[in-house]
């Protein structure tokens, strides 16, 4: 079946630090890959997505590249802010249908 | 425009009671999804609607769970004879045509005492 494994948290960083959250997947075929973010007290929001190999999704300073050879979609941000504190979920889906999510990584950024 | 809305935002019920959770998708979105977010299981897919039909119910955990969608819009998730393990946040998402991604509602937090 399809599954997503992402880096366990929690992750605590200082402002302006570099953030990486690892995500790898197992799937039959070639899924689309997503990062969703859940800010405190809010619902899940789509952060970025990539639909085919070597695509790079980017939004709000975050980036992730679809690597078919390593079945990975690692999330990166060069300089985090306190407002980036949230839970981040990696997910996969086919035709954006029936998403399979990773367990989520809690990120806390300290001033 | 308005996003996905869900009601109630919180529901506390006693074991054995039935509950109904409602989802109002974004207007015009044909696809609608229900997920469950719980501490032990993470985010799990429950059911998918395309229009009023549900081509995939594979995630419903037992026959106590059912869902319907009417008029291609509002959906109701019903849990009969609730159990404590049903306690979770129930999330609804909708999607339009194209590759715009799924848009999630704020969820309903269900607590079964």
């Amino acid at each position: 079946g399809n599954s997503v494994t992402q880096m366990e948290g929690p992750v605590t960083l200082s402002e302006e630090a570099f953030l990486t959250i690892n995500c790898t997947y197992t799937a039959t075929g070639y899924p689309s890959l997503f990062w969703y973010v859940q800010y405190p007290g809010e619902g899940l929001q789509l952060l970025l997505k990539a639909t085919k190999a070597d695509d790079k999704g980017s939004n709000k300073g975050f980036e992730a590249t679809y690597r078919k050879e390593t079945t990975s979609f690692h999330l990166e941000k060069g300089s985090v802010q306190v407002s980036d504190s949230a839970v981040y979920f990696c997910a996969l889906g086919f035709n954006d249908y029936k998403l399979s999510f990773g367990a989520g990584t809690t990120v806390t950024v300290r001033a | 425009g308005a996003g996905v809305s869900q009601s109630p935002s919180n529901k506390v019920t006693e074991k054995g009671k039935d509950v109904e959770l409602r989802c109002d998708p974004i207007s015009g979105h044909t696809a609608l999804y229900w997920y469950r977010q719980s501490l032990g299981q993470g985010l799990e897919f429950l059911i998918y609607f395309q229009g009023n039909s549900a081509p995939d119910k594979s995630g419903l955990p037992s026959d106590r769970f059912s869902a319907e969608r009417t008029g291609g819009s509002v959906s109701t998730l019903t849990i009969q004879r609730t159990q404590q393990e049903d306690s979770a946040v129930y999330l609804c998402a909708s999607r339009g045509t194209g590759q715009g991604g799924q848009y999630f509602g704020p969820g309903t937090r269900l607590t079964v005492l």
Side-chain angles (χ1 to χ4, degrees), chain A residues 6-7 18-24 34-37 47-49 57-66 72-78 80 84 86-90 105 107:
Chain A
Q6 66 180 97
M7 178 176 142
F18 185 87
L19 171 67
T20 299
I21 304 176
N22 289 341
C23 171
T24 57
F34 308 84
W35 277 99
Y36 279 82
V37 59
L47 180 60
L48 53 84
K49 65 183 287 187
S58 60
N59 186 25
K60 299 183 180 181
F62 290 88
E63 291 184 340
T65 301
Y66 190 142
S72 65
F73 193 54
H74 305 321
L75 182 68
E76 297 182 335
K77 184 171 185 180
V80 293
D84 293 324
V87 183
Y88 293 83
F89 294 90
C90 186
T105 302
V107 173

Coordinates of all heavy atoms in Angstrom, one line a residue, chain A residues 6-7 18-24 34-37 47-49 57-66 72-78 80 84 86-90 105 107:
Chain A
Q6 N 7.8 10.4 7.8 CA 8.5 11.7 8.0 C 9.2 11.7 9.3 O 8.9 11.0 10.2 CB 7.5 12.8 7.8 CG 6.4 13.0 8.9 CD 5.5 14.2 8.6 OE1 4.4 14.0 8.0 NE2 5.9 15.3 9.0
M7 N 10.1 12.6 9.3 CA 11.0 12.8 10.5 C 10.1 13.1 11.7 O 9.2 13.8 11.7 CB 11.8 14.0 10.2 CG 12.8 14.5 11.2 SD 13.7 15.8 10.4 CE 13.8 16.9 11.8
F18 N 18.1 27.2 9.8 CA 17.7 26.4 8.7 C 16.9 25.2 9.1 O 17.2 24.5 10.0 CB 18.9 25.9 7.9 CG 18.7 25.2 6.6 CD1 18.5 25.9 5.4 CD2 18.5 23.8 6.6 CE1 18.3 25.3 4.2 CE2 18.3 23.2 5.4 CZ 18.1 23.9 4.2
L19 N 15.8 25.0 8.4 CA 14.9 23.9 8.8 C 14.8 22.9 7.7 O 14.7 23.2 6.5 CB 13.4 24.4 9.0 CG 12.3 23.4 9.2 CD1 12.5 22.6 10.5 CD2 11.0 24.0 9.1
T20 N 15.0 21.6 8.0 CA 14.7 20.5 7.1 C 13.9 19.5 7.8 O 14.1 19.1 9.0 CB 16.0 19.8 6.7 OG1 16.9 20.7 6.0 CG2 15.7 18.6 5.8
I21 N 12.8 19.1 7.1 CA 12.0 18.0 7.6 C 12.0 16.9 6.5 O 11.6 17.1 5.4 CB 10.5 18.4 7.9 CG1 10.5 19.6 8.9 CG2 9.7 17.2 8.5 CD1 9.1 20.1 9.1
N22 N 12.5 15.7 6.9 CA 12.7 14.6 5.9 C 11.3 13.9 5.7 O 10.6 13.7 6.7 CB 13.7 13.6 6.4 CG 15.1 14.2 6.3 OD1 15.3 15.2 5.6 ND2 16.0 13.6 7.0
C23 N 11.1 13.6 4.5 CA 9.9 12.8 4.1 C 10.2 11.8 3.0 O 10.8 12.2 2.0 CB 8.8 13.7 3.6 SG 7.3 12.9 2.9
T24 N 9.9 10.6 3.2 CA 10.0 9.5 2.2 C 8.7 8.8 2.0 O 7.9 8.8 2.9 CB 11.1 8.5 2.5 OG1 10.8 7.9 3.8 CG2 12.5 9.2 2.6
F34 N 2.7 16.3 -1.3 CA 2.2 17.5 -0.7 C 2.9 17.7 0.6 O 3.3 16.8 1.3 CB 0.7 17.4 -0.5 CG -0.1 17.0 -1.7 CD1 -0.3 15.7 -2.0 CD2 -0.7 18.0 -2.4 CE1 -1.0 15.3 -3.1 CE2 -1.5 17.6 -3.5 CZ -1.6 16.3 -3.9
W35 N 3.0 19.0 1.0 CA 3.2 19.4 2.4 C 2.0 20.2 2.8 O 1.7 21.2 2.2 CB 4.5 20.1 2.5 CG 5.7 19.3 2.6 CD1 6.6 19.0 1.6 CD2 6.2 18.6 3.8 NE1 7.6 18.1 2.1 CE2 7.3 17.9 3.4 CE3 5.7 18.5 5.1 CZ2 8.0 17.0 4.3 CZ3 6.4 17.7 6.0 CH2 7.6 17.0 5.6
Y36 N 1.4 19.8 4.0 CA 0.4 20.5 4.6 C 0.9 21.0 5.9 O 1.8 20.4 6.6 CB -0.9 19.6 4.9 CG -1.7 19.5 3.7 CD1 -1.4 18.5 2.7 CD2 -2.9 20.2 3.5 CE1 -2.3 18.3 1.6 CE2 -3.7 20.1 2.4 CZ -3.4 19.1 1.5 OH -4.2 19.0 0.3
V37 N 0.3 22.2 6.4 CA 0.8 22.8 7.6 C -0.5 23.1 8.5 O -1.5 23.4 8.0 CB 1.6 24.1 7.4 CG1 0.8 25.1 6.6 CG2 2.1 24.7 8.7
L47 N 0.5 23.7 1.9 CA 1.7 24.6 1.9 C 2.3 24.6 0.5 O 2.6 25.6 -0.1 CB 2.7 24.1 2.9 CG 4.0 24.9 3.0 CD1 3.7 26.4 3.4 CD2 4.9 24.3 4.1
L48 N 2.6 23.4 -0.1 CA 3.1 23.3 -1.4 C 2.9 21.9 -1.9 O 2.6 21.0 -1.2 CB 4.6 23.6 -1.4 CG 5.5 22.9 -0.5 CD1 6.0 21.6 -1.0 CD2 6.8 23.8 -0.1
K49 N 3.1 21.7 -3.2 CA 2.9 20.4 -3.8 C 3.8 20.3 -5.0 O 4.3 21.2 -5.6 CB 1.4 20.2 -4.3 CG 0.9 21.2 -5.4 CD -0.5 21.0 -5.7 CE -0.8 19.7 -6.4 NZ -2.2 19.6 -6.9
G57 N 8.2 22.3 -5.4 CA 7.1 23.1 -4.9 C 7.7 24.2 -4.0 O 8.6 23.9 -3.3
S58 N 7.1 25.4 -4.0 CA 7.6 26.4 -3.1 C 6.4 27.3 -2.7 O 5.5 27.6 -3.4 CB 8.7 27.2 -3.8 OG 8.2 27.8 -5.0
N59 N 6.6 27.8 -1.5 CA 5.6 28.7 -0.9 C 6.1 29.3 0.4 O 6.6 28.5 1.2 CB 4.2 28.0 -0.7 CG 3.1 28.9 -0.3 OD1 3.1 30.1 -0.6 ND2 2.1 28.4 0.3
K60 N 5.9 30.5 0.7 CA 6.2 31.2 1.9 C 7.7 30.9 2.3 O 8.0 30.8 3.5 CB 5.3 30.7 3.1 CG 3.8 31.0 2.8 CD 3.0 30.5 4.0 CE 1.5 30.8 3.8 NZ 0.7 30.4 4.9
G61 N 8.6 30.8 1.4 CA 10.0 30.5 1.7 C 10.3 29.1 1.9 O 11.5 28.7 2.0
F62 N 9.3 28.2 1.9 CA 9.5 26.8 2.0 C 9.7 26.2 0.6 O 9.1 26.6 -0.4 CB 8.3 26.1 2.6 CG 8.2 26.3 4.1 CD1 7.5 27.4 4.6 CD2 8.8 25.5 5.0 CE1 7.4 27.7 5.9 CE2 8.7 25.8 6.4 CZ 8.0 26.9 6.8
E63 N 10.5 25.1 0.5 CA 10.7 24.4 -0.8 C 10.8 22.9 -0.5 O 11.2 22.5 0.5 CB 12.0 24.8 -1.4 CG 12.1 26.2 -2.0 CD 13.4 26.5 -2.7 OE1 14.4 25.8 -2.4 OE2 13.4 27.5 -3.4
A64 N 10.3 22.2 -1.5 CA 10.5 20.7 -1.5 C 10.6 20.2 -2.9 O 9.8 20.7 -3.8 CB 9.4 20.0 -0.8
T65 N 11.5 19.3 -3.2 CA 11.7 18.8 -4.5 C 11.3 17.3 -4.6 O 11.8 16.5 -3.7 CB 13.2 19.0 -5.0 OG1 13.5 20.3 -5.0 CG2 13.4 18.4 -6.4
Y66 N 10.6 16.9 -5.5 CA 10.1 15.5 -5.8 C 11.3 14.7 -6.3 O 11.7 14.9 -7.5 CB 9.0 15.6 -6.8 CG 8.2 14.3 -7.0 CD1 6.8 14.4 -7.1 CD2 8.7 13.0 -7.0 CE1 6.0 13.3 -7.4 CE2 8.0 11.9 -7.3 CZ 6.6 12.0 -7.5 OH 5.9 10.9 -7.7
S72 N 11.7 10.7 -2.2 CA 11.7 11.6 -1.1 C 11.1 13.0 -1.5 O 11.0 13.3 -2.7 CB 13.1 11.8 -0.6 OG 13.9 12.4 -1.6
F73 N 10.7 13.7 -0.5 CA 10.1 15.1 -0.7 C 10.4 15.9 0.6 O 9.5 16.3 1.3 CB 8.6 14.9 -1.0 CG 7.9 16.1 -1.5 CD1 8.4 16.8 -2.6 CD2 6.8 16.6 -0.9 CE1 7.7 17.9 -3.2 CE2 6.1 17.7 -1.4 CZ 6.6 18.4 -2.5
H74 N 11.7 16.2 0.8 CA 12.1 16.8 2.0 C 11.7 18.3 2.0 O 11.9 19.0 1.0 CB 13.6 16.7 2.2 CG 14.1 15.3 2.2 ND1 13.4 14.3 2.8 CD2 15.2 14.7 1.7 CE1 14.1 13.1 2.6 NE2 15.2 13.4 2.0
L75 N 11.2 18.8 3.1 CA 10.8 20.2 3.2 C 12.0 21.0 3.8 O 12.6 20.6 4.8 CB 9.6 20.3 4.1 CG 9.0 21.8 4.3 CD1 8.4 22.2 3.0 CD2 8.0 21.8 5.4
E76 N 12.2 22.2 3.2 CA 13.3 23.0 3.6 C 12.9 24.5 3.7 O 12.1 24.9 2.9 CB 14.6 22.9 2.7 CG 15.2 21.5 2.7 CD 16.4 21.5 1.8 OE1 16.5 22.3 0.9 OE2 17.2 20.6 2.0
K77 N 13.5 25.2 4.7 CA 13.3 26.7 4.7 C 14.6 27.2 5.2 O 15.2 26.8 6.2 CB 12.2 27.1 5.5 CG 12.0 28.6 5.5 CD 10.7 29.1 6.1 CE 10.5 30.6 5.9 NZ 9.3 31.2 6.5
G78 N 15.2 28.2 4.5 CA 16.5 28.7 4.9 C 16.6 29.6 6.1 O 17.6 29.6 6.8
V80 N 13.9 30.4 9.4 CA 12.6 30.3 9.9 C 12.3 31.5 10.8 O 13.2 32.1 11.4 CB 12.4 29.0 10.7 CG1 12.5 27.8 9.8 CG2 13.5 28.8 11.8
D84 N 6.5 30.4 11.9 CA 6.5 29.1 11.2 C 6.2 28.0 12.2 O 6.2 26.8 11.8 CB 7.9 28.9 10.6 CG 8.1 29.9 9.4 OD1 7.1 30.2 8.7 OD2 9.3 30.3 9.2
A86 N 4.5 25.3 13.9 CA 3.3 24.6 13.4 C 3.6 23.1 13.4 O 4.7 22.7 13.7 CB 2.9 25.1 12.0
V87 N 2.6 22.3 13.0 CA 2.8 20.9 12.7 C 2.8 20.8 11.2 O 1.8 21.3 10.5 CB 1.7 20.0 13.3 CG1 2.0 18.6 13.1 CG2 1.6 20.3 14.8
Y88 N 3.8 20.1 10.7 CA 3.9 19.9 9.2 C 3.7 18.4 8.9 O 4.2 17.5 9.5 CB 5.3 20.3 8.8 CG 5.5 21.8 8.9 CD1 5.9 22.4 10.2 CD2 5.4 22.7 7.9 CE1 6.1 23.7 10.3 CE2 5.5 24.1 8.0 CZ 5.9 24.6 9.3 OH 6.0 25.9 9.4
F89 N 2.8 18.2 7.8 CA 2.5 16.9 7.4 C 2.9 16.7 5.9 O 2.5 17.5 5.1 CB 1.0 16.7 7.5 CG 0.4 16.7 8.9 CD1 0.0 17.8 9.4 CD2 0.3 15.5 9.6 CE1 -0.6 17.9 10.7 CE2 -0.2 15.5 10.9 CZ -0.7 16.7 11.4
C90 N 3.6 15.6 5.7 CA 3.9 15.2 4.3 C 2.8 14.3 3.9 O 2.3 13.5 4.7 CB 5.2 14.5 4.3 SG 5.9 14.1 2.7
T105 N 5.1 16.5 12.0 CA 6.3 16.9 12.7 C 6.0 18.3 13.3 O 5.7 19.2 12.6 CB 7.5 17.1 11.7 OG1 7.8 15.8 11.1 CG2 8.8 17.5 12.5
V107 N 7.0 21.6 14.8 CA 8.2 22.6 14.8 C 7.9 23.8 15.7 O 6.8 24.4 15.6 CB 8.4 23.0 13.3 CG1 9.5 24.1 13.3 CG2 8.8 21.8 12.4

